[in-house]
Amino acid sequence: MTTPSTPLLELSTLWIQVTGTWCNLTCTHCLNSSGPHNPWLKSLDTEMVTRYIKEGADLGIKEIYYTGGEPFLHKDMLLLIAHALEVVPTTVLTNGILITDQVADHLAALAQNSPYSLQIRISIDDVDPDKNDRIRGKGAFAKAVRALELLHNRGLLPILTATEILRDELPEGRGMYEQFRDLLLGLGITKPRVKIMPVLPTGRMEREGGPLLTPEMLQGFDFSLLQCSETRVVAEGGVYACPILAGLPGARLSAKSLKEALKPCDLYHTACVVCYETGMTCKN
Amino acid sequence: MSREGKEYRRIAVFGGIYNNYLALEATLEETRRRGVEALFCLGDMGAFGPNPDRVFPLLEHGKVLAIQGNYDQSLATGLDNCQCGYTDPRDNHFARLSYEYTFKKTSPENKTWLGQLPTHRRVRLGQYRLLMCHGSPRRMNEFLWESTSPNCLLEKFCRDFESDVLLFTHTGIKWHRALDGDRHVVNVGTIGRPENDGQVNVWYTILTAADGLQVEFIPVHYDCETLTQEMEHEDLPVEFIETIQTGWWTTCLEILPSKERARGKF
Ligand SMILES: [Fe+2]
């Protein structure tokens, strides 16, 4: 069977998987199997990240997202955020564990000094601490909540990001989105921001023999609905087509530059079906 | 004649009427005292205000040169949503309410009129090549907020679309930035909804080619009380009415980036 592909319509979003799959948690549903020991994708060095930020700006990108792993494990993370914010609006996806008072102060100063928005996304998977920690690890809920409060207190308006992993276990009645909103309001976060993502069949949720996209399914399809039509990801090994498949050989488009990765990408993975069906985006 | 067509020295540009025909009337009145040569509207005639059909005769009578916004395109093509480009469920909930109302209340003739509007317009203002669009030159419903529109992207737009000044709306909050080489980008704001600063007035923009480019944002005060009464009469959501009365956005604000969101009340 022929594998369909997505044209690159524009390069707008640049993801940087700055700590590879190195993380201080081992969430059971992690889409790239991140964890503390022997990460299968290594961190990027500061010089390389800086070079890709420059290349992205030269190509006229709109925004940068830092992800991992856990980005704040990178020794130069605050510096890298500062570099990105010099040229484009920037988002960081984090579990919040390393966001101390001091880090929050520093982030607030960076946000203040840039003309562009800095958005911090904090992951939580359930409004109940025990259920959340069963998925994300002991103490993860309390630390994420602390990060949300520290950022809110400094006017940084964090975005709570949840997956649908525990959707079926949420108390009956109000929807998932409303329950997370209530959680934030209960914490005194008066501008509650919530983003919900589907669970992706990759990493620790990878299954053999899932469905694949066919060329027929993409006849007449509006490719702008797929984020790989406007996104590229820098991770160890080069430039990849999408943040979910970063690091996988099938998603790699170049070993060395964004410019070389400005070409169509194969929709070869069963995770591509999720994007196709839900129209979801990893963006804010 | 150049691709830019007619040449002007001084023009008024506004966006996002959102059915607020009283604000449109006040804006047209305001521009009369300003010596502008032409009026341009960057689209989204409909949205959360009352009685959409009252907007169209004013546009015609005022000789407003309009382009299509996402709302206009949706109405004209019979789509079941406004294509505002929201991603959050709360934003989408309120967007649906206003779109369904506007769809039902806009006459077939006016929908047809919206369908024949161009999506872009080029004019010359003094030595400047202006490009007008609704969201961004590349996508009708792209949000160009001040804090999420980096210079590298805006410079690329000016290069790719061969223009010196880009004019757009769609977000609801005005801003202007000068780029290197005397190029400019201007979000002209909207006249249909106050801009989330606790003031009930709305804004439009006057551009003048004099010694360089002058960009002036002009506040417009209109009869909010009558608008409110009509919104109540039309059973529009109280959240919409509250925005008109207070100047604070109460709906469709999850889309705001952190800097813009931080400035509002909600
Ligand atoms: Fe719009």
Side-chain angles (χ1 to χ4, degrees):
Chain A
M1 196 184 71
T2 341
T3 304
S5 67
T6 307
L8 184 77
L9 302 175
E10 67 211 20
L11 177 63
S12 186
T13 311
L14 176 61
W15 289 76
I16 301 176
Q17 204 176 331
V18 64
T19 47
T21 54
W22 181 31
C23 192
N24 43 11
L25 290 177
T26 317
C27 302
T28 60
H29 63 322
C30 183
L31 64 83
N32 58 21
S33 311
S34 288
H37 308 298
N38 307 314
W40 64 275
L41 277 178
K42 295 197 179 59
S43 293
L44 301 173
D45 68 55
T46 303
E47 182 274 324
M48 183 192 276
V49 175
T50 311
R51 184 164 59 77
Y52 275 111
I53 293 173
K54 164 100 174 57
E55 194 191 0
D58 289 345
L59 291 167
I61 58 168
K62 191 176 182 187
E63 54 180 336
I64 283 180
Y65 288 78
Y66 280 116
T67 183
E70 168 49 46
F72 286 103
L73 285 170
H74 197 287
K75 67 173 176 39
D76 287 333
M77 195 55 213
L78 291 167
L79 180 69
L80 290 175
I81 295 172
H83 283 333
L85 276 176
E86 279 168 24
V87 286
V88 287
T90 302
T91 298
V92 187
L93 278 63
T94 169
N95 57 36
I97 291 178
L98 296 171
I99 298 186
T100 56
D101 266 288
Q102 214 181 5
V103 171
D105 282 344
H106 202 130
L107 291 171
L110 291 177
Q112 189 78 47
N113 292 332
S114 173
Y116 306 128
S117 273
L118 169 63
Q119 326 243 22
I120 310 288
R121 270 164 56 179
I122 309 275
S123 296
I124 285 188
D125 280 305
D126 200 286
V127 297
D128 177 276
D130 291 337
K131 283 186 187 165
N132 177 80
D133 290 1
R134 216 173 63 214
I135 296 285
R136 303 189 59 81
K138 203 163 162 37
F141 185 88
K143 286 171 185 157
V145 162
R146 183 195 59 179
L148 287 164
E149 290 173 329
L150 289 174
L151 296 173
H152 168 76
N153 292 341
R154 288 160 179 79
L156 272 173
L157 312 192
I159 302 171
L160 185 159
T161 304
T163 67
E164 292 176 319
I165 186 78
L166 291 171
R167 151 157 265 166
D168 298 340
E169 292 192 30
L170 278 170
E172 289 293 308
R174 286 167 81 69
M176 195 172 173
Y177 173 88
E178 294 295 337
Q179 294 193 32
F180 284 115
R181 236 179 99 83
D182 292 348
L183 169 74
L184 293 172
L185 288 168
L187 295 170
I189 293 177
T190 45
K191 290 174 179 167
R193 303 171 86 198
V194 174
K195 173 167 174 82
I196 295 177
M197 300 269 298
V199 176
L200 293 147
T202 55
R204 295 201 180 96
M205 302 299 281
E206 177 103 43
R207 298 183 302 270
E208 285 293 303
L212 294 173
L213 292 175
T214 63
E216 292 72 47
M217 292 164 85
L218 292 155
Q219 293 248 312
F221 182 73
D222 176 3
F223 283 102
S224 72
L225 298 173
L226 295 176
Q227 54 180 335
C228 49
S229 70
E230 59 92 28
T231 293
R232 288 297 177 256
V233 187
V234 175
E236 190 198 359
V239 182
Y240 300 83
C242 115
I244 296 151
L245 305 177
L248 302 180
R252 191 162 87 156
L253 296 166
S254 167
K256 61 170 203 283
S257 73
L258 291 174
K259 196 152 179 252
E260 197 180 81
L262 304 179
K263 59 186 178 191
C265 63
D266 284 345
L267 294 163
Y268 74 101
H269 199 279
T270 183
C272 303
V273 178
V274 178
C275 291
Y276 171 82
E277 282 177 351
T278 64
M280 75 112 189
T281 168
C282 301
K283 294 199 293 177
N284 297 335
Chain B
M1 201 161 73
S2 73
R3 175 174 60 161
E4 276 73 28
K6 206 167 162 187
E7 183 175 327
Y8 300 96
R9 307 297 303 179
R10 184 168 164 85
I11 59 173
V13 190
F14 54 85
I17 302 171
Y18 304 158
N19 299 340
N20 191 340
Y21 73 97
L22 290 165
L24 174 58
E25 212 165 44
T27 303
L28 297 174
E29 183 61 38
E30 221 288 335
T31 59
R32 257 167 233 141
R33 296 187 275 117
R34 302 260 175 192
V36 297
E37 297 156 340
L39 303 175
F40 295 90
C41 172
L42 305 188
D44 280 358
M45 317 309 168
F48 77 143
N51 304 311
D53 280 342
R54 295 185 188 174
V55 163
F56 300 90
L58 293 171
L59 288 175
E60 196 189 348
H61 192 246
K63 298 191 171 54
V64 176
L65 297 165
I67 62 171
Q68 227 176 41
N70 52 287
Y71 233 88
D72 312 314
Q73 189 183 62
S74 288
L75 289 169
T77 55
L79 281 191
D80 66 359
N81 73 84
C82 63
Q83 307 181 85
C84 285
Y86 299 133
T87 51
D88 179 90
R90 277 174 68 84
D91 285 358
N92 281 325
H93 167 76
F94 285 105
R96 190 158 47 246
L97 294 177
S98 68
Y99 184 70
E100 280 168 6
Y101 170 82
T102 303
F103 192 88
K104 201 171 68 203
K105 293 279 204 158
T106 304
S107 76
E109 294 73 31
N110 287 332
K111 285 178 185 162
T112 306
W113 183 80
L114 290 170
Q116 52 77 48
L117 293 176
T119 56
H120 295 74
R121 206 181 268 281
R122 288 182 185 272
V123 303
R124 194 168 265 276
L125 189 75
Q127 75 266 37
Y128 299 95
R129 299 167 300 163
L130 270 56
L131 174 60
M132 302 180 187
C133 56
H134 180 73
S136 82
R138 67 181 173 191
R139 213 172 69 236
M140 189 184 270
N141 67 354
E142 178 163 15
F143 290 96
L144 293 180
W145 306 99
E146 187 171 15
S147 85
T148 56
S149 302
N151 286 3
C152 61
L153 173 70
L154 300 171
E155 280 160 6
K156 179 181 154 63
F157 283 159
C158 290
R159 269 196 316 273
D160 290 356
F161 294 89
E162 297 174 337
S163 41
D164 307 310
V165 183
L166 289 175
L167 303 172
F168 45 87
T169 175
H170 186 56
T171 66
I173 303 181
K174 65 179 178 347
W175 56 277
H176 164 219
R177 197 183 298 157
L179 305 172
D180 288 347
D182 200 18
R183 285 167 305 162
H184 298 258
V185 286
V186 186
N187 188 319
V188 301
T190 57
I191 60 166
R193 175 161 84 151
E195 64 166 31
N196 201 23
D197 59 358
Q199 304 297 314
V200 296
N201 67 278
V202 295
W203 298 85
Y204 78 98
T205 304
I206 290 182
L207 296 131
T208 313
D211 245 359
L213 182 79
Q214 265 179 40
V215 179
E216 297 168 83
F217 294 119
I218 315 284
V220 176
H221 296 269
Y222 69 97
D223 185 356
C224 324
E225 256 167 54
T226 303
L227 192 80
T228 302
Q229 283 162 18
E230 289 185 19
M231 289 170 82
E232 280 165 0
H233 184 260
E234 292 293 293
D235 278 332
L236 289 163
V238 289
E239 287 87 351
F240 296 172
I241 294 168
E242 204 187 315
T243 294
I244 292 297
Q245 287 173 328
T246 64
W248 296 114
W249 292 4
T250 54
T251 64
C252 299
L253 46 68
E254 301 302 329
I255 191 73
L256 285 168
S258 52
K259 271 191 198 284
E260 282 81 356
R261 180 82 184 259
R263 288 185 210 125
K265 183 173 176 192
F266 300 106

